[in-house]
Every structure is written in C-alpha cells, then in structure tokens.
Amino acid sequence: MALRLDELKPPCIDFGNRVALSFDQEEYTDEPAKQKAAKELRETPEVVSASIQELRELIRQEKGLNLPLENESLLVRFLRPKKYYSDSAFEMMKAFYKMKSRENFILDRLSTESIRNALEDRVVQILPKHDQHGRRIVFMEMGAKWNCSKVPSLEVIRATNMLMEAIGREPRTQLHGIVFIINFDKLSLSHIGQFPPKFVKTIVDHGQKNSPYRIKGIHIVNNARMFNIMFKIFKPFLGKKWSQRIFLHGVDLKSLHEHIDASCLPSFLGGTYELPEYDGAVVGQLLDCYKDKLDEEDKYGYIQAT
C-alpha cells in the first residue's frame, strides 16, 4: 500500500481491495446528516449563528487567548460537542488550550517526527472504515504488541492526540463521534507501570472534559486478570458518561460485534475485511499532507501558560 495523491481528491492510503484511509474535511450538506445534527446537537442556522457570535465575544474577553475569530470551522469544532451552548464550549476551549500550553506534554508541538515510533509500530491506528453509525474507529494496542520500552506512554498519548486532531477536523466525525477499541492481550506489569495515577488523572480528565470530541464508546478486548489491576488505576477518575460507555468483551468478539458491525472491522477483530500488515510510517506521510495547517494552528492558544 502507499500514499495516493490526487489533485481532485483528499490524500489517502490505499490498502487495496477498495479499502482506503483518508480525511474528509468537507461540511456535510445531505439531509440525513443535517437532520441528525439538528436533533442531537441543536444545529440549526439560527442557533449556529447566535452561538458563534456568543463564543467570539467570550474569546475577545479572555486575556492572552489568541484565536482566529473569523475561522468558523474552528469555533464550530468546539461548539458541536457541547451542543452549541457557547458557555460550555468556551470552558472546554480554555481548558484545551491551557493543556496545549504545557511544554513537553501531551498536546504541544505535535509532529509526526515526535510520534514516529508509535506510528511505525502501529500502537494507535485509525481504522479505514467507519462503523454502522458513521463513527470513526480508533484501535489501540495496549498489550503484547506495545513495546513500551521503545514507545513510552507519553508518546502513545501524543500519537493518539495527533490522530484525534486529524479526524476531529472532520465535520461528519464531529457529528457522529468516535469509538475506541483497545486490545489488552498479554498486558504486563511493565505496561501498567507506564501509567502512574497522576498521569492517568490528567489524561482521563482531558479526554472526558477538555477535548472537542464526541466519544461514543470504549471497547476493551482481551482483558484478562492483569487488566483488573490497570482498571483500578483508571476507575476512580472516570465520570458517569465514560463509565457507562466502557464495554468489556474479553475474548468474545461476537460481543464486540453487537456494538460495531463485523462488516466495519478488519479480520483481526473478527471482521469481514482484510487490513494488510503495513508500514505505519505511511500514516505519518498522510498526516504530513496537512502539516501546513497544523503548523498554523500551533500558533493559536494562550500566549503564555496560565
């Protein structure tokens, strides 16, 4: 497989057999999507217009926060997960950019080079097909296939965030949301040791409260006895919504398929399509097609850490 470039289409990774990964940054205009947005997100022309104006005014009043107020797609990205309630979106936005201002941590200066090992080892992947509800599927290796001496947990989280930044700019993903599938096959104490409680609290709080994504489900597969130790570290920091959206499937992939159709999954998850072994570096090449935009957005945020 290789990166395919076409002036008339978005860049994509062609895996063969009509399986490809690309990012769709076009706004949806079809009636089913518009109706779903109106029903679930209060997304009507009147609400959108008023909420954007309210959010702009809140940003103007926030000292030190540098954002392009004319960039409606950026504002909508934060408004959609908060159903166009501008006050809630603004609180999320402030927390997001305060986290981004923390140097050498999980959001600052994201680049493909900084997460090269995670990409090459495919510790975190965006699966090419959406699920039956149109949701993006993010797959993570948290067990035997994760060499944590080569790819420490901080790089795993940074890689996850960079991939989430890519799909988080897709309007349809903003509408339909994201589901995670996490494989804990042969989880070890070395893996668990990568997640001290303070770090776990920070990343879980960020994911639950401060990230502009609609997380619709977290599906755990191959969770054996060792997983219970790790889950005890995470559980105290889980809010009600995420607690209700975590599903433990063990080795029973049919249980997973009750939530995500097998037709949407690769064969290694009991699905019906083949996703060949591939050099994860090609995902970095795809992300680099959007490097100029990412570099431009790196200028946004708090001028000084607050």
Side-chain angles (χ1 to χ4, degrees), residues 28-283:
Y28 44 80
T29 57
D30 58 293
E31 280 305 311
K34 290 166 66 175
Q35 289 176 16
K36 180 177 180 178
K39 180 179 180 180
E40 295 189 10
L41 307 181
R42 303 192 313 131
E43 188 172 289
T44 64
E46 297 77 17
V47 170
V48 171
S49 178
S51 297
I52 287 175
Q53 289 304 113
E54 291 168 2
L55 184 55
R56 280 175 173 154
E57 186 56 36
L58 290 168
I59 294 169
R60 286 191 185 100
Q61 296 174 15
E62 177 71 5
K63 292 182 179 180
L65 182 56
N66 173 40
L67 293 175
L69 298 181
E70 73 285 353
N71 187 340
E72 288 193 3
S73 63
L74 174 67
L75 304 183
V76 167
R77 182 182 166 210
F78 284 88
L79 284 165
R80 275 182 173 139
K82 291 300 184 179
K83 300 184 179 181
Y84 285 91
Y85 290 105
S86 55
D87 288 343
S88 297
F90 183 55
E91 291 304 313
M92 173 192 284
M93 181 177 277
K94 288 191 297 182
F96 179 86
Y97 284 107
K98 284 177 181 178
M99 179 65 75
K100 191 172 181 178
S101 71
R102 294 180 60 176
E103 293 187 1
N104 302 313
F105 202 46
I106 63 175
L107 282 178
D108 65 307
R109 295 193 296 273
L110 290 175
S111 69
T112 53
E113 181 57 31
S114 70
I115 59 170
R116 180 171 55 86
N117 289 331
L119 292 176
E120 289 181 354
D121 283 12
R122 304 194 305 278
V123 178
V124 189
Q125 304 177 56
I126 302 170
L127 297 185
K129 292 193 177 186
H130 300 70
D131 79 356
Q132 69 273 21
H133 303 295
R135 302 176 298 194
R136 276 290 191 183
I137 305 172
V138 177
F139 177 67
M140 302 182 70
E141 293 281 11
M142 292 283 100
K145 292 186 178 180
W146 173 29
N147 181 351
C148 56
S149 62
K150 177 183 177 183
V151 187
S153 58
L154 182 58
E155 183 172 341
V156 174
I157 300 303
R158 286 177 62 81
T160 304
N161 280 328
M162 189 164 186
L163 292 173
M164 294 284 280
E165 285 282 282
I167 59 178
R169 291 179 174 82
E170 298 178 304
R172 289 186 185 275
T173 298
Q174 294 167 9
L175 170 61
H176 299 305
I178 299 167
V179 292
F180 280 81
I181 303 174
I182 309 177
N183 180 22
F184 283 96
D185 182 39
K186 297 180 181 177
L187 178 72
S188 71
L189 289 174
S190 296
H191 296 122
I192 295 172
Q194 289 282 317
F195 292 98
K198 184 177 179 180
F199 180 57
V200 169
K201 183 180 189 308
T202 299
I203 60 176
V204 171
D205 282 351
H206 178 70
Q208 291 182 123
K209 305 173 185 176
N210 307 330
S211 299
Y213 314 115
R214 303 185 76 199
I215 307 301
K216 308 301 287 185
I218 301 172
H219 298 273
I220 310 297
V221 297
N222 296 313
N223 47 295
R225 183 180 302 173
M226 191 68 72
F227 172 79
N228 295 331
I229 300 174
M230 188 166 188
F231 194 56
K232 286 181 180 179
I233 301 174
F234 280 78
K235 191 172 182 178
F237 309 119
L238 295 174
K240 181 179 179 180
K241 183 178 289 187
W242 270 28
S243 294
Q244 293 174 340
R245 294 181 179 179
I246 293 176
F247 303 93
L248 307 179
H249 301 290
V251 297
D252 183 7
L253 294 180
K254 289 184 179 179
S255 171
L256 173 65
H257 301 160
E258 291 176 4
H259 298 266
I260 304 175
D261 284 354
S263 62
C264 307
L265 295 171
S267 57
F268 62 78
L269 288 170
T272 60
Y273 75 89
E274 294 299 325
L275 183 62
E277 289 288 325
Y278 65 94
D279 183 352
V282 72
V283 178

Side-chain angles (χ1 to χ4, degrees), residues 1-5 10-16 18-23 126 128 275 278-287:
M1 81 295 307
L3 184 68
R4 190 171 68 199
L5 301 175
C12 77
I13 301 172
D14 187 354
F15 294 105
R18 300 181 183 178
V19 177
L21 172 64
S22 64
F23 303 133
I126 302 170
L275 183 62
Y278 65 94
D279 183 352
V282 72
V283 178
Q285 296 170 18
L286 177 61
L287 292 171

